[in-house]
Amino acid sequence: MPNLQETLDISSYAALGDSFTEGLNDPGLDGAFFGWADRLAGMLAVSKPKGEFRYANLAVRGRLLDQIAAEQVPEVRRLQPDLVTFCAGGNDILRPGSDPDEVAERFERAVAQLADSAGTVLICTGFDTKDVPLLKHLRGKIATYNGHMRAVADRHGCKVADLWSLRSVHDRRAWSEDRLHLSPEGHQRVALLAANSLGLRTDEDPQAPWPAAPHLTAADQRRENIQWAREFLIPWVGRRLRGESSGDNVEPKRPDLMPL
């Protein structure tokens, strides 16, 4: 089967971003999270001799775009990876009063820096949130930001993983209990989409249909929604009101390019 190395020579990869790229709610080893970026790195490493593919993951949960630009983007100049994935700005868009046009301007400045330091830059659009209780009212802002990101990718020659078009993640099983972060299977779907966006053909289809799911009654759904609000929504709102971040005192899980 043709693989990515026939079109792009990728021997090193650095992942930048927030909780999405850190891999929240995809359990890994030693208490760390795995996630779609780690899964993508594994796919890229397959065709390389053992130890010759190197990978860094600088992403930290809760980071805003300016924090990622200040803390993670400059590291790419030092690392000089063949591939960078840059998924940022989502936490900014979630904030009340945020302007997707202005966020996109800051996003482009960061992309311009990355394009000078990496062989290939891949960016991710935002998900379609029409079925997400907490985020569906932000769908228009996310769509506007996505349009800007695609234009930025065109101007700077970036690859795009179009998460908005990934309909398989509209299934609830693609999301963890907090409904804000992906489940392990959701992370796998995103990794496959990212690999395909780079030109890698995979045996699995990111858009493959899910097996039939048990039917939930309206009463079951109400009970789930109440439990979700108590366990996740109220604490999330509380952190926002207190100005706290889930990423306070969290360090990148893989700060340097290391062999897989």
Side-chain angles (χ1 to χ4, degrees), residues 112-189:
Q113 294 181 55
L114 293 173
D116 289 337
S117 303
T120 298
V121 178
L122 180 142
I123 66 174
C124 299
T125 68
F127 293 103
D128 185 350
T129 58
K130 68 176 182 177
D131 298 318
V132 183
L134 184 62
L135 305 179
K136 60 185 177 182
H137 68 286
L138 297 175
R139 192 180 186 216
K141 287 174 65 173
I142 295 169
T144 299
Y145 188 50
N146 284 351
H148 282 302
M149 286 195 288
R150 292 188 187 97
V152 169
D154 287 343
R155 288 194 288 269
H156 295 275
C158 302
K159 304 287 186 179
V160 178
D162 186 10
L163 301 180
W164 185 276
S165 71
L166 189 60
R167 298 194 175 191
S168 61
V169 298
H170 293 179
D171 191 288
R172 292 179 62 178
R173 288 167 288 183
W175 298 89
S176 62
E177 290 184 351
D178 70 6
R179 304 185 185 181
L180 290 173
H181 299 99
L182 294 168
S183 66
E185 179 61 25
H187 278 286
Q188 177 68 7
R189 300 290 180 123

Side-chain angles (χ1 to χ4, degrees), residues 55-96:
Y55 169 55
N57 190 316
L58 308 178
V60 175
R61 67 198 75 170
R63 289 298 192 262
L64 298 169
L65 175 56
D66 285 349
Q67 292 173 310
I68 296 169
E71 299 167 3
Q72 300 175 29
V73 170
E75 289 296 292
V76 174
R77 186 174 296 279
R78 174 179 66 85
L79 298 172
Q80 295 285 304
D82 297 324
L83 170 68
V84 167
T85 56
F86 183 56
C87 307
N91 288 327
D92 297 71
I93 296 298
L94 292 179
R95 296 206 158 192

Side-chain angles (χ1 to χ4, degrees), residues 3 5 39-50 53 200 260:
N3 61 49
Q5 308 304 346
R39 292 170 181 269
L40 174 61
M43 295 176 191
L44 297 174
V46 165
S47 63
K48 290 289 185 181
K50 185 173 178 60
F53 183 86
L200 175 63
L260 283 183

Side-chain angles (χ1 to χ4, degrees), residues 24-40:
L24 255 65
N25 296 355
D26 183 7
L29 299 175
D30 301 324
F33 291 106
F34 197 46
W36 71 269
D38 291 25
R39 292 170 181 269
L40 174 61

